[in-house]
């Protein structure tokens, strides 16, 4: 494994651990709805032992058909704005929350490249969203660094955005200063 790839994998492990600190033992759950990232977000979340207590699953919605049929994204929205837009990313979060029966969801939709871009939606345009039934936040990525790096960046940014969302939106609990007991192996 080259040094840059190792660094990206290490960063995702750290982000996954931080998500675990919020969700493990909370009784709250998360799922993913991924188009362009194709399961990378889910893979990152389950990279740490104990993730099965809060990660229920994900939907790889690479086609509009799957976005519509499994996630309930409106056909007319996809026709009018394409799959690569903020509204579709938000609908994917809502659909994942419903389909997976989770408290939170993370979504990605975009054009990772090398082809598929247009003048209006160039390669590297990726919309990320995360949230719960009451609040969804989004982020737009616009730089093209090549497919592999675009996807790695999107995955890391999605995890970082979700951590920020959890920091701002997790229910306050009485923990008495005791850290949760997180398993080392699963």
């Amino acid at each position: 494994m080259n040094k840059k790839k190792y660094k990206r994998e290490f960063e995702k492990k750290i982000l996954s651990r931080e998500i675990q600190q919020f969700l493990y033992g909370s009784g709250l759950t998360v799922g993913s709805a991924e188009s362009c990232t194709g399961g990378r977000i889910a893979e990152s979340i389950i990279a740490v032992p104990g993730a099965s207590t809060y990660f229920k699953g994900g939907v790889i919605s690479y086609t509009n058909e799957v976005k519509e049929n499994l996630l309930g994204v409106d056909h007319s929205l996809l026709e009018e704005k394409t799959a690569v837009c903020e509204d579709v990313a938000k609908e994917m979060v809502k659909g994942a929350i419903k389909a997976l029966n989770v408290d939170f969801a993370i979504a990605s939709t975009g054009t990772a490249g090398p082809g598929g871009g247009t003048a209006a939606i160039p390669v590297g345009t990726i919309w990320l969203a995360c949230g719960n039934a009451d609040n969804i936040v989004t982020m737009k990525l616009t730089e093209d660094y090549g497919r592999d790096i675009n996807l790695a960046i999107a995955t890391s940014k999605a995890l970082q955005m979700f951590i920020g969302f959890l920091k701002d939106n997790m229910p306050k609990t009485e923990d008495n200063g005791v850290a949760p007991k997180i398993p080392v192996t699963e």
Side-chain angles (χ1 to χ4, degrees):
M1 183 181 306
N2 70 36
K3 196 172 187 177
K4 285 183 182 181
K5 187 171 183 180
Y6 177 79
K7 184 179 176 190
R8 285 192 302 264
E9 294 303 315
F10 185 69
E11 178 190 22
K12 285 190 280 188
K13 184 81 92 168
I14 291 170
L15 295 171
S16 300
R17 194 58 87 178
E18 195 166 346
I19 290 168
Q20 184 178 58
Q21 294 296 319
F22 283 101
L23 296 180
Y24 188 86
S26 71
L28 299 172
T29 56
V30 65
S32 66
E34 302 182 59
S35 185
C36 62
T37 52
R40 287 169 178 83
I41 294 168
E43 177 186 31
S44 295
I45 292 171
I46 66 160
V48 294
S52 63
T53 65
Y54 54 86
F55 183 76
K56 281 194 172 182
V59 175
I60 308 303
S61 54
Y62 212 64
T63 65
N64 286 352
E65 177 185 7
V66 175
K67 288 176 183 72
E68 290 177 45
N69 294 336
L70 293 182
L71 297 174
V73 176
D74 185 58
H75 177 78
S76 61
L77 175 62
L78 291 164
E79 288 292 316
E80 291 171 22
K81 293 191 174 183
T82 80
V84 185
C85 72
E86 182 178 31
D87 291 341
V88 168
K90 287 180 174 181
E91 290 298 309
M92 290 171 68
V93 168
K94 292 175 189 174
I97 289 169
K98 184 177 179 182
L100 301 169
N101 190 30
V102 292
D103 300 293
F104 305 104
I106 307 168
S108 66
T109 184
T111 306
T118 65
I121 304 171
V123 170
T125 304
I126 299 173
W127 277 98
L128 306 171
C130 70
N132 59 25
D134 301 319
N135 185 17
I136 298 172
V137 296
T138 62
M139 175 187 296
K140 182 181 183 184
L141 306 178
T142 58
E143 298 296 322
D144 179 19
Y145 299 99
R147 183 176 184 82
D148 290 344
I149 294 174
N150 290 345
L151 295 174
I153 290 170
T155 301
S156 291
K157 291 290 187 184
L159 297 173
Q160 291 168 3
M161 182 174 60
F162 184 53
I163 290 165
F165 183 87
L166 291 173
K167 284 179 181 175
D168 294 340
N169 294 280
M170 276 294 283
K172 303 298 179 214
T173 59
E174 193 68 38
D175 64 7
N176 300 323
V178 178
K181 292 186 190 285
I182 298 173
V184 177
T185 60
E186 183 171 75

